Amino acid sequence: GEDVEQSLFLSVREGDSSVINCTYTDSSSTYLYWYKQEPGAGLQLLTYIFSNMDMKQDQRLTVLLNKKDKHLSLRIADTQTGDSAIYFCAESKASGTYKYIFGTGTRLKVLA
Amino acid sequence: GAVVSQHPSWVICKSGTSVKIECRSLDFQATTMFWYRQFPKQSLMLMATSNEGSKATYEQGVEKDKFLINHASLTLSTLTVTSAHPEDSSFYICSARPRGRPETQYFGPGTRLLVL
C-alpha cells in the first residue's frame, strides 16, 4: 500500500540549514509536495517537484528527490524562527483524482 | 491569489446536533474539493473527494450518512457533520483544486469542531 514516512522532530539553531526527510513507498508517484502548517492553521504549499526531476530550488528552499531510494528531502537555508512549524510531505499520482497521501509530519523547532 | 476560506473557524456544539462547515475558493474555480480530518499531532486523513455537481466519493471507513458533502458550485463545498458526538471532535480542513491544474491543492485554514 501507499505509505509516507517522516521523522517526527527536528531542532536547529537560527541561521543554520534544516533538512527534513521523507520516504515513500509508491514508486508510481508522479508529484511530491512540501507543505507547511503553523499552529491551528491550514496548510501552505511551499513547493512541489515532478518525479522526473532530481532537484528544485526556490529561494531558501531546495528539494532533492532520489527516486531510486524513494527519498525526498527539503532543505531550508538560513533557517529563521518564523520557519518553526510542522512540515508535511505528500505524494500523488497523475491519474484519477490526484488525491494526496500525506506524510506523518515533521515538527521543526528553530532555536534563537 | 489561490485563497481558500472556511467558515466557521471554530465551533462548539452539543452532542446530537448537526454542524455545517463551508469551504470556498475565493479567487478561482475549483472543479474538485477535498475534505480532510486531522487529529492532534497527527497527519491529515482524506475523508472524501467532491466534484462540482456530482456525489462525493468517500474514503474507506468514512460514513457518508454521517458526513454529508455538497459541492453545489465551482466555488463552494459544504461538509455537514450530522448528529455529532464527542468522537467527531477534530480539526477539519478542506482543499480546492483549480480548474486546469489537477496536481495542485490549495488548503483552507481549517475548522476546529468540539462536540460536548
Side-chain angles (χ1 to χ4, degrees), chain A residues 8 31 33 35 37 40-45 48 50 86 88-89 92 96-100 102-105 107, chain B residues 32 34 36 38 41-44 46 49 51 59 91 93 97 101-110 112:
Chain A
L8 289 180
Y31 300 95
Y33 308 82
Y35 280 88
Q37 185 180 34
L43 274 68
Q44 174 193 353
L45 175 64
Y48 68 92
F50 295 102
I86 300 175
F88 290 97
C89 66
S92 74
T97 60
Y98 286 71
K99 67 180 183 182
Y100 287 8
F102 278 93
T104 45
R107 187 177 296 271
Chain B
T32 304
F34 302 84
Y36 296 84
Q38 186 180 32
K41 298 185 180 180
Q42 292 190 28
S43 189
L44 280 74
L46 179 65
T49 302
N51 292 299
E59 294 299 300
F91 193 51
I93 303 177
R97 187 165 76 197
R101 295 192 61 192
E103 77 282 3
T104 302
Q105 292 182 32
Y106 294 105
F107 285 78
R112 189 163 300 281

Side-chain angles (χ1 to χ4, degrees), chain B residues 36-100:
Chain B
Y36 296 84
R37 185 172 180 177
Q38 186 180 32
F39 290 104
K41 298 185 180 180
Q42 292 190 28
S43 189
L44 280 74
M45 300 301 297
L46 179 65
M47 298 174 66
T49 302
S50 75
N51 292 299
E52 185 261 339
S54 61
K55 288 185 179 180
T57 302
Y58 290 81
E59 294 299 300
Q60 193 172 9
V62 178
E63 299 175 59
K64 61 181 180 181
D65 295 330
K66 173 79 170 171
F67 298 100
L68 300 179
I69 291 171
N70 183 278
H71 192 162
S73 77
L74 286 171
T75 59
L76 173 64
S77 176
T78 60
L79 168 69
T80 301
V81 183
T82 62
S83 187
H85 288 94
E87 59 266 28
D88 299 323
S89 299
S90 192
F91 193 51
Y92 293 88
I93 303 177
C94 73
S95 70
R97 187 165 76 197
R99 183 196 295 274

Side-chain angles (χ1 to χ4, degrees), chain B residues 9-56:
Chain B
S9 55
W10 59 270
V11 57
I12 301 173
C13 69
K14 291 183 179 179
S15 188
T17 60
S18 293
V19 175
K20 181 186 281 189
I21 302 169
E22 290 186 351
C23 177
R24 293 181 185 272
S25 56
L26 297 184
D27 49 5
F28 65 96
Q29 291 185 330
T31 51
T32 304
M33 288 185 170
F34 302 84
W35 287 95
Y36 296 84
R37 185 172 180 177
Q38 186 180 32
F39 290 104
K41 298 185 180 180
Q42 292 190 28
S43 189
L44 280 74
M45 300 301 297
L46 179 65
M47 298 174 66
T49 302
S50 75
N51 292 299
E52 185 261 339
S54 61
K55 288 185 179 180

